[in-house]
């Protein structure tokens, strides 16, 4: 078990650092485009694709869910490449590749071809999120990572907000094919730009002020050595950072991937993702059916839960970074989200009440993301944290596959939407319970803060 750093107290704020101002917009746009190109299938399906291609409910669900099989199989090897070689190259070229594959979805008509393309889309996107989380851990301290991860993953709900509106509008004025094409091309262009914008390490960035680089290096060194049980003074004098840690061996990777916290978190994220992606992929169809409105209005109504989800993510991550506590920033939200999903089912034909409870469910399932991935990376030693995140995220992909496919399948049976919400609620509740079994690293104020070489604790770089 590693030792967590204490909450940060510097009053200058997260955005006072050049790192945040430069890197976070790049990370946000990258993940937004990834989320756009994997999630717009749900809008296309509700907007006429299922009818045009004569897709049954089961086949429609299988095409949507095939993405997550590719996403599962290639996350760990892709992230190890990013950790050992270059996150910059992996992220940039993956972005180009998924843009091309996203465009292909608009020109194909065979269900078999669509399954293959969705699978490959998952392959090229699979390592991007864990690689980005790993990359941010090289640029931000533990007291900043909850917010950094939240701003990265904020691309999810904010993208779904405008995705629902813009995609619905594109289908209304053109068709679902043109929507895929129009939303895939920006990823190709952005991926090429990322080759210039993203740097693997702070030492590679000419735009980073030297004073900030030195302070960041010292604090990351203290965190790395504290996690290994080395006094902070020696860490600061050594000057090694998380990014400078020696390359991990195969045995070290196996040990971490088989550790109790990683195994439990992998199972926990499976059930969380089941509820989350069942919610995301089938919300447009459920809202359209419940409201009786057209695809344009459905897009607007579907965006409502994500407005509140984005606000909840920002508030929760800030509180978690200030307190230094991660677990309590996760499990209560998921428990409440499960109850809201079940309540939405009980609301039955009362659509305004059902939509209100869906808003609550959405914000509760999104709010914990930033603190959660900060906790996953803090539970693994430097040099293998990216693989730990990839392992957890890959099992999340299996949960996403199960949620996307089974929720869609259940909706086509006699259980209907009520059975689908029941499935999502139970899985989300299980994920909340599993989170309670994780022991959180204990803050160690003296070990985790850098010193001036004479044993005096230095102030934090940024808060």
């Amino acid at each position: 078990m590693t030792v967590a750093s204490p909450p940060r107290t510097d009053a200058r704020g997260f955005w006072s650092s050049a790192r945040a101002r430069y890197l976070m917009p790049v990370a946000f746009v990258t993940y937004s485009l990834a989320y756009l190109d994997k999630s717009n299938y749900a809008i296309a399906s509700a907007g006429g694709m299922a009818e045009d291609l004569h897709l049954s409910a089961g086949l429609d669900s299988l095409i949507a869910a095939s993405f997550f099989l590719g996403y599962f199989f290639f996350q760990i090897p892709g992230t190890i490449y990013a950790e050992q070689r270059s996150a910059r190259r992996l992220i940039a070229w993956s972005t180009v590749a998924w843009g091309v594959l996203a465009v292909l979805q608009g020109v194909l008509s065979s269900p078999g071809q669509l399954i293959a393309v969705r699978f490959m889309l998952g392959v090229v996107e699979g390592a991007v999120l864990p690689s980005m989380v790993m990359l941010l851990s090289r640029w931000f301290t533990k007291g900043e990572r909850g917010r950094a991860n939240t701003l990265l993953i904020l691309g999810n709900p904010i993208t779904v907000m405008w995705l629902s509106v813009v995609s619905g509008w594109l289908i209304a004025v053109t068709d679902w094919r043109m929507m895929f094409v129009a939303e895939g091309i920006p990823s190709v262009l952005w991926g090429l730009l990322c080759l210039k914008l993203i740097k693997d390490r702070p030492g590679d960035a000419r735009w980073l002020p030297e004073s900030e680089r030195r302070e960041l290096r010292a604090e990351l060194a203290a965190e790395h050595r504290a996690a290994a049980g080395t006094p902070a003074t020696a860490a600061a004098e050594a000057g090694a950072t998380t990014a400078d840690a020696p390359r991990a061996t195969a045995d070290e990777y196996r040990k971490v991937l088989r550790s109790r916290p990683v195994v439990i978190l992998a199972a926990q994220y499976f059930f969380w993702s089941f509820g989350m992606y069942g919610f995301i992929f089938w919300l447009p169809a459920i809202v359209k059916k419940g409201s009786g409105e057209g695809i344009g209005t459905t897009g607007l109504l579907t965006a409502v839960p994500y407005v509140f989800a984005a606000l909840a993510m920002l508030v929760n991550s800030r509180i978690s970074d200030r307190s230094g506590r991660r677990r309590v920033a996760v499990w209560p939200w998921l428990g409440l989200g499960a109850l809201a999903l079940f309540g939405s089912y009980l609301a039955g034909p009362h659509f305004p009440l059902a939509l209100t409870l869906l808003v609550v469910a959405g914000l509760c399932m999104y709010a914990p993301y930033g603190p959660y991935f900060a906790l996953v990376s803090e539970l693994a030693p430097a040099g293998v944290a990216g693989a730990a995140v990839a392992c957890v995220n890959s099992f999340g992909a299996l949960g996403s596959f199960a949620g996307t496919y089974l929720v869609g399948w259940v909706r086509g049976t006699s259980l209907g939407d009520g059975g689908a919400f029941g499935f999502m609620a139970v899985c989300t509740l299980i994920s909340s319970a599993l989170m309670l079994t994780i022991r959180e690293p204990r803050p160690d104020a003296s070990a985790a803060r850098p010193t001036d070489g004479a044993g005096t604790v230095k102030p934090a770089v940024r808060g």
Side-chain angles (χ1 to χ4, degrees):
M1 183 68 67
T2 59
V3 179
S5 61
R8 306 181 64 82
T9 57
D10 194 324
R12 286 177 288 177
F14 180 80
W15 290 106
S16 66
S17 72
R19 295 165 292 129
R21 294 193 301 271
Y22 183 94
L23 282 175
M24 295 320 306
V26 175
F28 175 83
V29 172
T30 303
Y31 191 61
S32 293
L33 290 172
Y35 207 81
L36 167 67
D37 290 330
K38 78 178 175 185
S39 299
N40 56 7
Y41 182 90
I43 302 293
S45 177
M49 183 178 71
E51 291 83 355
D52 291 349
L53 301 184
H54 307 292
L55 302 176
S56 65
L59 185 56
D60 194 16
S61 298
L62 181 60
I63 295 171
S66 59
F67 169 91
F68 296 104
L69 290 180
Y71 201 75
F72 169 76
F73 284 113
F74 292 91
Q75 281 200 60
I76 293 177
T79 305
I80 291 175
Y81 172 87
E83 202 158 38
Q84 300 290 326
R85 295 181 179 273
S86 175
R88 166 182 161 270
R89 288 197 296 269
L90 182 137
I91 292 166
W93 290 115
S94 292
T95 306
V96 172
W98 84 53
V100 172
L101 291 166
V103 169
L104 281 178
Q105 292 178 107
V107 299
L108 299 176
S109 297
S110 163
Q113 292 173 335
L114 284 170
I115 288 173
V117 168
R118 293 286 299 174
F119 177 85
M120 288 305 301
L121 192 63
V123 168
V124 297
E125 282 194 32
V128 172
L129 177 60
S131 295
M132 290 293 288
V133 172
M134 180 275 298
L135 184 68
L136 293 178
S137 73
R138 295 175 175 175
W139 287 84
F140 295 96
T141 65
K142 286 183 179 179
E144 299 168 322
R145 283 177 204 150
R147 280 164 290 177
N149 290 337
T150 290
L151 290 166
L152 165 66
I153 301 171
L154 202 62
N156 177 323
I158 289 183
T159 299
V160 175
M161 274 193 292
W162 65 262
L163 160 70
S164 303
V165 177
V166 173
S167 298
W169 176 79
L170 282 172
I171 293 174
V173 299
T174 57
D175 58 17
W176 59 268
R177 292 186 181 277
M178 283 305 299
M179 181 208 72
F180 279 131
V181 173
E183 293 180 350
I185 291 174
S187 294
V188 177
L189 302 177
W190 182 255
L192 296 174
L193 189 58
C194 279
L195 287 170
K196 293 186 175 293
L197 294 176
I198 295 176
K199 302 298 180 185
D200 281 304
R201 292 172 175 82
D204 300 332
R206 296 179 180 178
W207 50 263
L208 186 64
E210 184 59 33
S211 60
E212 186 173 339
R213 193 195 320 270
R214 285 196 305 267
E215 292 180 28
L216 174 65
R217 185 181 180 89
E219 187 151 353
L220 290 178
E223 291 178 0
H224 174 50
R225 297 308 174 103
T230 303
T233 302
E237 290 172 348
T241 69
T242 303
D244 297 325
R247 290 187 175 182
T249 65
D251 285 341
E252 288 172 320
Y253 276 115
R254 282 193 290 269
K255 182 178 179 180
V256 168
L257 296 180
R258 294 173 181 174
S259 66
R260 179 182 180 275
V262 171
V263 170
I264 292 176
L265 287 170
Q268 185 271 343
Y269 200 48
F270 172 92
F271 288 105
W272 182 1
S273 298
F274 186 109
M276 173 63 79
Y277 278 88
F279 177 86
I280 290 169
F281 267 84
W282 300 111
L283 182 63
I286 291 168
V287 169
K288 184 179 180 182
K289 179 180 177 182
S291 65
E293 300 288 347
I295 188 62
T297 303
T298 295
L300 289 171
L301 291 173
T302 301
V304 173
Y306 300 102
V307 176
F308 293 93
L311 294 174
M313 288 175 71
L314 291 170
V315 172
N316 192 41
S317 65
R318 184 173 180 81
I319 293 172
S320 176
D321 275 353
R322 285 189 167 186
S323 68
R325 301 174 67 189
R326 306 299 189 191
R327 191 177 67 165
V328 74
V330 179
W331 72 264
W333 292 95
L334 295 178
L336 182 58
L339 295 177
L341 282 172
F342 189 68
S344 183
Y345 155 66
L346 295 179
H350 304 289
F351 182 71
L353 176 59
L355 181 61
T356 300
L357 289 169
L358 285 177
V359 170
V360 174
L363 73 87
C364 286
M365 288 193 290
Y366 271 104
Y369 269 122
Y372 179 80
F373 279 106
L375 174 62
V376 175
S377 63
E378 289 164 12
L379 286 171
V384 294
V389 173
C391 178
V392 171
N393 202 43
S394 65
F395 277 88
L398 283 184
S400 303
F401 174 85
T404 305
Y405 179 71
L406 291 177
V407 169
W409 176 78
V410 168
R411 291 188 67 240
T413 70
S414 59
L415 295 175
D417 289 346
F421 277 114
F423 252 128
M424 291 187 284
V426 168
C427 287
T428 306
L429 192 60
I430 292 173
S431 74
S432 176
L434 285 173
M435 199 68 210
L436 289 171
T437 67
I438 295 294
R439 287 179 292 179
E440 190 168 358
R442 295 185 303 274
D444 186 342
S446 62
R449 294 284 293 275
T451 71
D452 60 5
T456 302
V457 176
K458 293 173 64 177
V461 181
R462 296 286 186 269

